[in-house]
mmCIF file of all heavy atoms in Angstrom:
data_model
loop_
_atom_site.group_PDB
_atom_site.id
_atom_site.type_symbol
_atom_site.label_atom_id
_atom_site.label_comp_id
_atom_site.label_asym_id
_atom_site.label_seq_id
_atom_site.Cartn_x
_atom_site.Cartn_y
_atom_site.Cartn_z
ATOM 1 N N ASP P 67 120.745 108.511 124.689
ATOM 2 C CA ASP P 67 122.164 108.536 125.006
ATOM 3 C C ASP P 67 123.015 108.316 123.765
ATOM 4 O O ASP P 67 124.174 108.727 123.730
ATOM 5 C CB ASP P 67 122.483 107.459 126.056
ATOM 6 C CG ASP P 67 121.887 107.810 127.414
ATOM 7 O OD1 ASP P 67 121.623 109.010 127.629
ATOM 8 O OD2 ASP P 67 121.691 106.907 128.236
ATOM 9 N N ASN P 68 122.464 107.636 122.760
ATOM 10 C CA ASN P 68 123.218 107.314 121.554
ATOM 11 C C ASN P 68 122.636 108.028 120.342
ATOM 12 O O ASN P 68 122.337 107.409 119.332
ATOM 13 C CB ASN P 68 123.221 105.800 121.320
ATOM 14 C CG ASN P 68 123.885 105.056 122.474
ATOM 15 O OD1 ASN P 68 124.893 105.499 123.004
ATOM 16 N ND2 ASN P 68 123.310 103.928 122.853
ATOM 17 N N VAL P 69 122.454 109.322 120.437
ATOM 18 C CA VAL P 69 121.910 110.112 119.335
ATOM 19 C C VAL P 69 123.017 110.391 118.326
ATOM 20 O O VAL P 69 124.083 110.899 118.683
ATOM 21 C CB VAL P 69 121.307 111.433 119.843
ATOM 22 C CG1 VAL P 69 120.800 112.266 118.674
ATOM 23 C CG2 VAL P 69 120.188 111.149 120.824
ATOM 24 N N ARG P 70 122.750 110.056 117.068
ATOM 25 C CA ARG P 70 123.716 110.342 116.008
ATOM 26 C C ARG P 70 123.413 111.726 115.451
ATOM 27 O O ARG P 70 122.329 111.980 114.941
ATOM 28 C CB ARG P 70 123.626 109.286 114.911
ATOM 29 C CG ARG P 70 124.615 109.498 113.776
ATOM 30 C CD ARG P 70 124.700 108.256 112.900
ATOM 31 N NE ARG P 70 123.428 107.999 112.228
ATOM 32 C CZ ARG P 70 123.115 108.434 111.013
ATOM 33 N NH1 ARG P 70 123.991 109.177 110.344
ATOM 34 N NH2 ARG P 70 121.965 108.133 110.467
ATOM 35 N N GLN P 71 124.372 112.616 115.525
ATOM 36 C CA GLN P 71 124.168 113.990 115.090
ATOM 37 C C GLN P 71 124.340 114.089 113.573
ATOM 38 O O GLN P 71 125.325 113.602 113.016
ATOM 39 C CB GLN P 71 125.153 114.927 115.794
ATOM 40 C CG GLN P 71 124.941 115.010 117.297
ATOM 41 C CD GLN P 71 125.870 116.001 117.959
ATOM 42 O OE1 GLN P 71 126.829 116.477 117.351
ATOM 43 N NE2 GLN P 71 125.600 116.343 119.203
ATOM 44 N N ILE P 72 123.378 114.729 112.925
ATOM 45 C CA ILE P 72 123.406 114.906 111.474
ATOM 46 C C ILE P 72 123.006 116.342 111.147
ATOM 47 O O ILE P 72 122.337 117.019 111.931
ATOM 48 C CB ILE P 72 122.453 113.925 110.751
ATOM 49 C CG1 ILE P 72 121.010 114.132 111.237
ATOM 50 C CG2 ILE P 72 122.890 112.492 110.943
ATOM 51 C CD1 ILE P 72 119.995 113.273 110.492
ATOM 52 N N THR P 73 123.408 116.788 109.969
ATOM 53 C CA THR P 73 123.000 118.106 109.494
ATOM 54 C C THR P 73 121.619 118.015 108.859
ATOM 55 O O THR P 73 121.098 116.920 108.606
ATOM 56 C CB THR P 73 124.010 118.650 108.478
ATOM 57 O OG1 THR P 73 123.999 117.797 107.316
ATOM 58 C CG2 THR P 73 125.413 118.680 109.062
ATOM 59 N N VAL P 74 121.049 119.167 108.567
ATOM 60 C CA VAL P 74 119.716 119.168 107.963
ATOM 61 C C VAL P 74 119.767 118.591 106.549
ATOM 62 O O VAL P 74 118.830 117.902 106.108
ATOM 63 C CB VAL P 74 119.136 120.600 107.957
ATOM 64 C CG1 VAL P 74 119.987 121.543 107.110
ATOM 65 C CG2 VAL P 74 117.688 120.592 107.486
ATOM 66 N N ASP P 75 120.866 118.827 105.827
ATOM 67 C CA ASP P 75 120.992 118.243 104.485
ATOM 68 C C ASP P 75 121.090 116.721 104.551
ATOM 69 O O ASP P 75 120.525 116.014 103.705
ATOM 70 C CB ASP P 75 122.217 118.815 103.770
ATOM 71 C CG ASP P 75 122.061 120.295 103.446
ATOM 72 O OD1 ASP P 75 120.900 120.742 103.297
ATOM 73 O OD2 ASP P 75 123.075 121.004 103.350
ATOM 74 N N GLU P 76 121.797 116.206 105.536
ATOM 75 C CA GLU P 76 121.866 114.754 105.709
ATOM 76 C C GLU P 76 120.509 114.179 106.081
ATOM 77 O O GLU P 76 120.136 113.091 105.626
ATOM 78 C CB GLU P 76 122.907 114.407 106.782
ATOM 79 C CG GLU P 76 124.333 114.700 106.375
ATOM 80 C CD GLU P 76 125.328 114.504 107.511
ATOM 81 O OE1 GLU P 76 124.899 114.558 108.696
ATOM 82 O OE2 GLU P 76 126.521 114.315 107.235
ATOM 83 N N ALA P 77 119.756 114.903 106.909
ATOM 84 C CA ALA P 77 118.416 114.445 107.276
ATOM 85 C C ALA P 77 117.508 114.373 106.052
ATOM 86 O O ALA P 77 116.742 113.410 105.886
ATOM 87 C CB ALA P 77 117.813 115.382 108.332
ATOM 88 N N VAL P 78 117.595 115.376 105.189
ATOM 89 C CA VAL P 78 116.783 115.375 103.964
ATOM 90 C C VAL P 78 117.186 114.214 103.064
ATOM 91 O O VAL P 78 116.332 113.520 102.489
ATOM 92 C CB VAL P 78 116.931 116.717 103.225
ATOM 93 C CG1 VAL P 78 116.311 116.641 101.839
ATOM 94 C CG2 VAL P 78 116.283 117.842 104.029
ATOM 95 N N GLU P 79 118.493 113.980 102.941
ATOM 96 C CA GLU P 79 118.970 112.889 102.082
ATOM 97 C C GLU P 79 118.470 111.540 102.576
ATOM 98 O O GLU P 79 118.040 110.693 101.781
ATOM 99 C CB GLU P 79 120.499 112.917 102.045
ATOM 100 C CG GLU P 79 121.098 111.839 101.156
ATOM 101 C CD GLU P 79 122.616 111.856 101.175
ATOM 102 O OE1 GLU P 79 123.193 112.755 101.825
ATOM 103 O OE2 GLU P 79 123.225 110.968 100.550
ATOM 104 N N ILE P 80 118.498 111.322 103.872
ATOM 105 C CA ILE P 80 118.007 110.049 104.422
ATOM 106 C C ILE P 80 116.511 109.904 104.172
ATOM 107 O O ILE P 80 116.024 108.836 103.791
ATOM 108 C CB ILE P 80 118.321 109.975 105.929
ATOM 109 C CG1 ILE P 80 119.832 109.963 106.161
ATOM 110 C CG2 ILE P 80 117.698 108.726 106.548
ATOM 111 C CD1 ILE P 80 120.220 110.049 107.624
ATOM 112 N N ALA P 81 115.768 110.985 104.370
ATOM 113 C CA ALA P 81 114.317 110.926 104.189
ATOM 114 C C ALA P 81 113.945 110.627 102.749
ATOM 115 O O ALA P 81 112.997 109.878 102.480
ATOM 116 C CB ALA P 81 113.675 112.236 104.649
ATOM 117 N N LEU P 82 114.681 111.198 101.809
ATOM 118 C CA LEU P 82 114.373 110.973 100.396
ATOM 119 C C LEU P 82 114.618 109.523 99.988
ATOM 120 O O LEU P 82 114.053 109.052 98.996
ATOM 121 C CB LEU P 82 115.199 111.912 99.515
ATOM 122 C CG LEU P 82 114.878 113.404 99.655
ATOM 123 C CD1 LEU P 82 115.757 114.225 98.721
ATOM 124 C CD2 LEU P 82 113.411 113.671 99.374
ATOM 125 N N ARG P 83 115.468 108.828 100.726
ATOM 126 C CA ARG P 83 115.722 107.418 100.427
ATOM 127 C C ARG P 83 114.752 106.486 101.122
ATOM 128 O O ARG P 83 114.458 105.403 100.611
ATOM 129 C CB ARG P 83 117.145 107.033 100.845
ATOM 130 C CG ARG P 83 118.244 107.688 100.046
ATOM 131 C CD ARG P 83 119.555 106.922 100.230
ATOM 132 N NE ARG P 83 119.828 106.619 101.637
ATOM 133 C CZ ARG P 83 120.605 107.355 102.414
ATOM 134 N NH1 ARG P 83 121.178 108.440 101.928
ATOM 135 N NH2 ARG P 83 120.818 107.019 103.670
ATOM 136 N N ARG P 84 114.224 106.895 102.260
ATOM 137 C CA ARG P 84 113.483 105.964 103.104
ATOM 138 C C ARG P 84 112.003 106.285 103.262
ATOM 139 O O ARG P 84 111.248 105.434 103.727
ATOM 140 C CB ARG P 84 114.108 105.907 104.510
ATOM 141 C CG ARG P 84 115.516 105.336 104.541
ATOM 142 C CD ARG P 84 116.087 105.418 105.946
ATOM 143 N NE ARG P 84 117.360 104.734 106.064
ATOM 144 C CZ ARG P 84 117.492 103.461 106.419
ATOM 145 N NH1 ARG P 84 116.421 102.753 106.693
ATOM 146 N NH2 ARG P 84 118.684 102.907 106.502
ATOM 147 N N ASN P 85 111.584 107.471 102.890
ATOM 148 C CA ASN P 85 110.206 107.867 103.175
ATOM 149 C C ASN P 85 109.203 107.014 102.395
ATOM 150 O O ASN P 85 109.301 106.906 101.162
ATOM 151 C CB ASN P 85 110.008 109.343 102.837
ATOM 152 C CG ASN P 85 108.656 109.856 103.269
ATOM 153 O OD1 ASN P 85 107.706 109.812 102.517
ATOM 154 N ND2 ASN P 85 108.569 110.332 104.493
ATOM 155 N N PRO P 86 108.226 106.388 103.054
ATOM 156 C CA PRO P 86 107.259 105.530 102.350
ATOM 157 C C PRO P 86 106.399 106.295 101.347
ATOM 158 O O PRO P 86 106.029 105.751 100.299
ATOM 159 C CB PRO P 86 106.399 104.958 103.492
ATOM 160 C CG PRO P 86 107.227 105.105 104.722
ATOM 161 C CD PRO P 86 108.044 106.337 104.506
ATOM 162 N N GLN P 87 106.066 107.540 101.636
ATOM 163 C CA GLN P 87 105.249 108.330 100.716
ATOM 164 C C GLN P 87 105.955 108.519 99.378
ATOM 165 O O GLN P 87 105.334 108.431 98.317
ATOM 166 C CB GLN P 87 104.928 109.686 101.345
ATOM 167 C CG GLN P 87 104.037 110.577 100.494
ATOM 168 C CD GLN P 87 103.793 111.931 101.135
ATOM 169 O OE1 GLN P 87 104.280 112.216 102.226
ATOM 170 N NE2 GLN P 87 103.057 112.778 100.458
ATOM 171 N N LEU P 88 107.263 108.750 99.417
ATOM 172 C CA LEU P 88 108.010 108.923 98.181
ATOM 173 C C LEU P 88 108.116 107.609 97.405
ATOM 174 O O LEU P 88 108.048 107.599 96.173
ATOM 175 C CB LEU P 88 109.411 109.445 98.489
ATOM 176 C CG LEU P 88 109.542 110.951 98.718
ATOM 177 C CD1 LEU P 88 110.995 111.323 98.939
ATOM 178 C CD2 LEU P 88 108.971 111.720 97.556
ATOM 179 N N LEU P 89 108.284 106.519 98.121
ATOM 180 C CA LEU P 89 108.351 105.222 97.450
ATOM 181 C C LEU P 89 107.036 104.903 96.741
ATOM 182 O O LEU P 89 107.021 104.358 95.632
ATOM 183 C CB LEU P 89 108.696 104.130 98.465
ATOM 184 C CG LEU P 89 110.081 104.247 99.129
ATOM 185 C CD1 LEU P 89 110.284 103.143 100.153
ATOM 186 C CD2 LEU P 89 111.186 104.217 98.092
ATOM 187 N N GLN P 90 105.920 105.245 97.361
ATOM 188 C CA GLN P 90 104.626 105.042 96.716
ATOM 189 C C GLN P 90 104.488 105.937 95.482
ATOM 190 O O GLN P 90 103.967 105.506 94.439
ATOM 191 C CB GLN P 90 103.501 105.326 97.707
ATOM 192 C CG GLN P 90 103.431 104.330 98.855
ATOM 193 C CD GLN P 90 102.389 104.714 99.881
ATOM 194 O OE1 GLN P 90 101.707 105.726 99.737
ATOM 195 N NE2 GLN P 90 102.257 103.920 100.921
ATOM 196 N N ALA P 91 104.942 107.179 95.585
ATOM 197 C CA ALA P 91 104.865 108.093 94.444
ATOM 198 C C ALA P 91 105.732 107.594 93.290
ATOM 199 O O ALA P 91 105.357 107.721 92.119
ATOM 200 C CB ALA P 91 105.296 109.502 94.867
ATOM 201 N N TYR P 92 106.886 107.019 93.610
ATOM 202 C CA TYR P 92 107.742 106.487 92.552
ATOM 203 C C TYR P 92 107.100 105.291 91.862
ATOM 204 O O TYR P 92 107.235 105.113 90.645
ATOM 205 C CB TYR P 92 109.096 106.096 93.125
ATOM 206 C CG TYR P 92 110.082 105.646 92.072
ATOM 207 C CD1 TYR P 92 110.715 106.569 91.247
ATOM 208 C CD2 TYR P 92 110.372 104.306 91.900
ATOM 209 C CE1 TYR P 92 111.603 106.160 90.270
ATOM 210 C CE2 TYR P 92 111.269 103.886 90.918
ATOM 211 C CZ TYR P 92 111.883 104.813 90.112
ATOM 212 O OH TYR P 92 112.758 104.411 89.149
ATOM 213 N N SER P 93 106.394 104.455 92.605
ATOM 214 C CA SER P 93 105.703 103.328 91.983
ATOM 215 C C SER P 93 104.611 103.803 91.030
ATOM 216 O O SER P 93 104.334 103.149 90.016
ATOM 217 C CB SER P 93 105.101 102.412 93.065
ATOM 218 O OG SER P 93 104.060 103.082 93.766
ATOM 219 N N GLN P 94 104.011 104.953 91.312
ATOM 220 C CA GLN P 94 103.025 105.512 90.386
ATOM 221 C C GLN P 94 103.677 105.942 89.069
ATOM 222 O O GLN P 94 103.078 105.811 87.996
ATOM 223 C CB GLN P 94 102.323 106.714 91.042
ATOM 224 C CG GLN P 94 101.476 106.361 92.253
ATOM 225 C CD GLN P 94 100.292 105.470 91.878
ATOM 226 O OE1 GLN P 94 99.713 105.607 90.792
ATOM 227 N NE2 GLN P 94 99.938 104.567 92.777
ATOM 228 N N ILE P 95 104.919 106.438 89.135
ATOM 229 C CA ILE P 95 105.648 106.773 87.909
ATOM 230 C C ILE P 95 105.903 105.515 87.092
ATOM 231 O O ILE P 95 105.735 105.511 85.853
ATOM 232 C CB ILE P 95 106.969 107.483 88.254
ATOM 233 C CG1 ILE P 95 106.691 108.839 88.924
ATOM 234 C CG2 ILE P 95 107.816 107.686 87.007
ATOM 235 C CD1 ILE P 95 107.947 109.578 89.331
ATOM 236 N N GLU P 96 106.305 104.449 87.735
ATOM 237 C CA GLU P 96 106.553 103.197 87.024
ATOM 238 C C GLU P 96 105.278 102.671 86.358
ATOM 239 O O GLU P 96 105.314 102.173 85.225
ATOM 240 C CB GLU P 96 107.123 102.156 87.977
ATOM 241 C CG GLU P 96 108.512 102.508 88.498
ATOM 242 C CD GLU P 96 109.056 101.464 89.455
ATOM 243 O OE1 GLU P 96 108.229 100.862 90.189
ATOM 244 O OE2 GLU P 96 110.266 101.236 89.484
ATOM 245 N N MET P 97 104.151 102.788 87.063
ATOM 246 C CA MET P 97 102.888 102.362 86.458
ATOM 247 C C MET P 97 102.547 103.208 85.236
ATOM 248 O O MET P 97 102.064 102.690 84.216
ATOM 249 C CB MET P 97 101.774 102.434 87.502
ATOM 250 C CG MET P 97 101.902 101.431 88.642
ATOM 251 S SD MET P 97 100.609 101.616 89.893
ATOM 252 C CE MET P 97 99.141 101.351 88.906
ATOM 253 N N ALA P 98 102.788 104.520 85.316
ATOM 254 C CA ALA P 98 102.516 105.396 84.178
ATOM 255 C C ALA P 98 103.414 105.048 82.997
ATOM 256 O O ALA P 98 102.980 105.093 81.836
ATOM 257 C CB ALA P 98 102.720 106.858 84.594
ATOM 258 N N GLU P 99 104.664 104.689 83.263
ATOM 259 C CA GLU P 99 105.566 104.300 82.170
ATOM 260 C C GLU P 99 105.102 103.017 81.505
ATOM 261 O O GLU P 99 105.210 102.859 80.281
ATOM 262 C CB GLU P 99 106.985 104.146 82.721
ATOM 263 C CG GLU P 99 107.627 105.475 83.134
ATOM 264 C CD GLU P 99 108.982 105.278 83.782
ATOM 265 O OE1 GLU P 99 109.287 104.120 84.161
ATOM 266 O OE2 GLU P 99 109.725 106.266 83.928
ATOM 267 N N HIS P 100 104.577 102.073 82.277
ATOM 268 C CA HIS P 100 104.052 100.843 81.684
ATOM 269 C C HIS P 100 102.760 101.112 80.909
ATOM 270 O O HIS P 100 102.483 100.438 79.911
ATOM 271 C CB HIS P 100 103.824 99.787 82.767
ATOM 272 C CG HIS P 100 105.077 99.076 83.188
ATOM 273 N ND1 HIS P 100 105.997 99.640 84.045
ATOM 274 C CD2 HIS P 100 105.579 97.865 82.842
ATOM 275 C CE1 HIS P 100 106.996 98.795 84.233
ATOM 276 N NE2 HIS P 100 106.776 97.714 83.509
ATOM 277 N N ASN P 101 101.985 102.084 81.351
ATOM 278 C CA ASN P 101 100.800 102.473 80.561
ATOM 279 C C ASN P 101 101.220 103.039 79.210
ATOM 280 O O ASN P 101 100.559 102.794 78.184
ATOM 281 C CB ASN P 101 99.980 103.502 81.339
ATOM 282 C CG ASN P 101 99.297 102.906 82.555
ATOM 283 O OD1 ASN P 101 99.060 101.692 82.612
ATOM 284 N ND2 ASN P 101 98.976 103.739 83.523
ATOM 285 N N GLN P 102 102.310 103.795 79.183
ATOM 286 C CA GLN P 102 102.808 104.304 77.908
ATOM 287 C C GLN P 102 103.294 103.158 77.023
ATOM 288 O O GLN P 102 103.069 103.162 75.802
ATOM 289 C CB GLN P 102 103.953 105.294 78.150
ATOM 290 C CG GLN P 102 104.559 105.829 76.858
ATOM 291 C CD GLN P 102 105.710 106.782 77.109
ATOM 292 O OE1 GLN P 102 105.609 107.975 76.842
ATOM 293 N NE2 GLN P 102 106.815 106.270 77.634
ATOM 294 N N LEU P 103 103.954 102.177 77.620
ATOM 295 C CA LEU P 103 104.404 101.025 76.835
ATOM 296 C C LEU P 103 103.217 100.292 76.221
ATOM 297 O O LEU P 103 103.269 99.855 75.056
ATOM 298 C CB LEU P 103 105.213 100.085 77.731
ATOM 299 C CG LEU P 103 105.813 98.847 77.057
ATOM 300 C CD1 LEU P 103 106.818 99.259 75.988
ATOM 301 C CD2 LEU P 103 106.474 97.945 78.097
ATOM 302 N N SER P 104 102.120 100.178 76.983
ATOM 303 C CA SER P 104 100.915 99.540 76.456
ATOM 304 C C SER P 104 100.310 100.356 75.317
ATOM 305 O O SER P 104 99.834 99.795 74.320
ATOM 306 C CB SER P 104 99.890 99.360 77.576
ATOM 307 O OG SER P 104 98.695 98.800 77.094
ATOM 308 N N ALA P 105 100.341 101.686 75.432
ATOM 309 C CA ALA P 105 99.815 102.544 74.362
ATOM 310 C C ALA P 105 100.662 102.438 73.103
ATOM 311 O O ALA P 105 100.140 102.450 71.982
ATOM 312 C CB ALA P 105 99.744 103.989 74.844
ATOM 313 N N ILE P 106 101.986 102.313 73.259
ATOM 314 C CA ILE P 106 102.852 102.126 72.095
ATOM 315 C C ILE P 106 102.562 100.795 71.425
ATOM 316 O O ILE P 106 102.581 100.672 70.189
ATOM 317 C CB ILE P 106 104.334 102.222 72.523
ATOM 318 C CG1 ILE P 106 104.661 103.645 72.984
ATOM 319 C CG2 ILE P 106 105.259 101.818 71.379
ATOM 320 C CD1 ILE P 106 106.062 103.797 73.539
ATOM 321 N N GLY P 107 102.256 99.787 72.244
ATOM 322 C CA GLY P 107 101.953 98.476 71.696
ATOM 323 C C GLY P 107 100.718 98.458 70.815
ATOM 324 O O GLY P 107 100.602 97.605 69.914
ATOM 325 N N GLN P 108 99.800 99.398 71.022
ATOM 326 C CA GLN P 108 98.613 99.459 70.172
ATOM 327 C C GLN P 108 98.950 99.870 68.735
ATOM 328 O O GLN P 108 98.177 99.601 67.817
ATOM 329 C CB GLN P 108 97.599 100.446 70.765
ATOM 330 C CG GLN P 108 97.022 100.017 72.098
ATOM 331 C CD GLN P 108 96.017 101.018 72.631
ATOM 332 O OE1 GLN P 108 95.618 101.940 71.919
ATOM 333 N NE2 GLN P 108 95.598 100.838 73.873
ATOM 334 N N LEU P 109 100.105 100.514 68.528
ATOM 335 C CA LEU P 109 100.517 100.924 67.191
ATOM 336 C C LEU P 109 101.243 99.808 66.445
ATOM 337 O O LEU P 109 101.569 99.969 65.268
ATOM 338 C CB LEU P 109 101.424 102.158 67.285
ATOM 339 C CG LEU P 109 100.804 103.403 67.926
ATOM 340 C CD1 LEU P 109 101.861 104.494 68.069
ATOM 341 C CD2 LEU P 109 99.623 103.902 67.111
ATOM 342 N N LEU P 110 101.520 98.712 67.105
ATOM 343 C CA LEU P 110 102.255 97.601 66.505
ATOM 344 C C LEU P 110 101.309 96.459 66.165
ATOM 345 O O LEU P 110 100.233 96.322 66.774
ATOM 346 C CB LEU P 110 103.350 97.123 67.463
ATOM 347 C CG LEU P 110 104.368 98.188 67.909
ATOM 348 C CD1 LEU P 110 105.338 97.597 68.904
ATOM 349 C CD2 LEU P 110 105.105 98.759 66.708
#
């Protein structure tokens, strides 16, 4: 009875903010960036 109507673009925008699969993929990017920081540290 209380369905909020949204467009397909709004649905995609909400999913990109809330989807757990994307959040996990983003954490993998952060881990890769810290691996690069560790590799740079080997030159110091």
